Amino acid sequence: EIVLTQSPATLSLSPGERATLSCRASQSVGSYLAWFQQKPGQAPRLLIYDASNRATGIPARFSGSGSGTDFTLTISSLDPEDFAVYYCQQRNSWPPWTFGQGTKVEV
Amino acid sequence: EVQLVETGGGLFQPGGSLRLSCAASGFTVSSNYMTWVRQAPGKGLEWVSTLYSGGSTYYADSVKGRFTVSRDNSKKTLFLQMNSLRAEDTAVYYCAIEYKTTWLDYWGQGTLVTVSS
């Protein structure tokens, strides 16, 4: 089973600042990595898929990069609505599909 | 418009059973991979099960032998039969599909299952 480790666990930033979130895989997942955003009481929302492709309707301030074992989600300038928990997920080696433990972006 | 609506959650006793439903609209159930993901209170996301369009099923080790995923194409509904319930099955259960991408790009709102005596 591929383990995804996200860091940091919590990121404390202010609106307008740049956020950089990391996801590291225990073995290579190629480019088969996605990022999800989840706000309290809501279902997760797909942001980035295949490491660097924005999903439909996702603002350009969200970008993804990386391949193999190291991946980054960058939010170029935090909007107040971006404060949430972010999860990475891999599908290179499954089952099981695995998720990271999440990074909380807080004010 | 794609919509997924989960029902069937509630309070259940350890060792008991329940069946979750996920009513789908806006797409053909039989043509899409459909997945259950759960989230224990205050915890992260955990993949539970996937049903392929061709009928193949996959389960997390934590639920294998206890949970069964199925669908009714005529009713446009995905099911998750949950037997031998444990306290650690307590979670919000989401159904999700791969629609525009090969990732879970549409999700339901979730249904809470609580297993407690």
Side-chain angles (χ1 to χ4, degrees):
Chain A
E1 173 178 328
I2 294 179
V3 176
L4 299 177
T5 302
Q6 293 186 238
S7 61
T10 304
L11 197 53
S12 298
L13 295 168
S14 299
E17 290 192 297
R18 182 184 188 89
T20 303
L21 288 66
S22 173
C23 177
R24 177 164 291 179
S26 59
Q27 63 190 78
S28 177
V29 299
S31 295
Y32 293 111
L33 189 108
W35 291 93
F36 294 84
Q37 177 193 67
Q38 187 179 33
K39 298 178 182 179
Q42 295 186 17
R45 176 174 71 148
L46 179 67
L47 297 177
I48 301 288
Y49 65 94
D50 293 344
S52 60
N53 296 301
R54 275 190 302 278
T56 302
I58 302 303
R61 64 180 180 272
F62 291 93
S63 64
S65 63
S67 65
T69 60
D70 290 298
F71 299 86
T72 301
L73 174 69
T74 302
I75 310 171
S76 59
S77 177
L78 281 165
D79 189 274
E81 66 184 16
D82 298 337
F83 291 92
V85 180
Y86 293 84
Y87 295 95
C88 56
Q89 185 221 334
Q90 68 82 25
R91 61 173 295 153
N92 180 67
S93 175
W94 61 272
W97 292 359
T98 50
F99 291 89
Q101 82 281 14
T103 290
K104 182 179 183 180
V105 178
E106 65 175 21
V107 179
Chain B
E1 180 189 3
V2 171
Q3 281 197 322
L4 299 164
V5 179
E6 302 95 334
T7 56
L11 177 62
F12 302 89
Q13 293 204 333
S17 298
L18 72 120
R19 188 176 78 164
L20 299 182
S21 299
C22 173
S25 59
F27 68 98
T28 304
V29 167
S30 59
S31 299
N32 288 83
Y33 297 175
M34 299 190 73
T35 290
W36 290 97
V37 174
R38 69 184 179 183
Q39 186 170 38
K43 302 298 183 182
L45 302 171
E46 180 188 16
W47 169 76
V48 174
S49 179
T50 294
L51 173 58
Y52 269 19
S53 53
S56 298
T57 57
Y58 301 89
Y59 300 93
D61 285 346
S62 58
V63 307
K64 199 173 295 182
R66 300 188 298 123
F67 291 9
T68 303
V69 63
S70 62
R71 67 178 179 235
D72 185 324
N73 295 335
S74 63
K75 294 183 178 178
K76 298 183 179 181
T77 301
L78 178 74
F79 301 104
L80 186 67
Q81 178 68 40
M82 303 168 60
N83 299 331
S84 303
L85 290 168
R86 305 169 180 169
E88 53 265 36
D89 295 322
T90 295
V92 173
Y93 284 75
Y94 296 100
C95 69
I97 66 164
E98 303 170 19
Y99 186 67
K100 293 184 178 179
T101 69
T102 54
W103 297 87
L104 300 176
D105 45 17
Y106 282 85
W107 295 65
Q109 85 291 348
T111 187
L112 175 62
V113 172
T114 302
V115 182
S116 175
S117 55

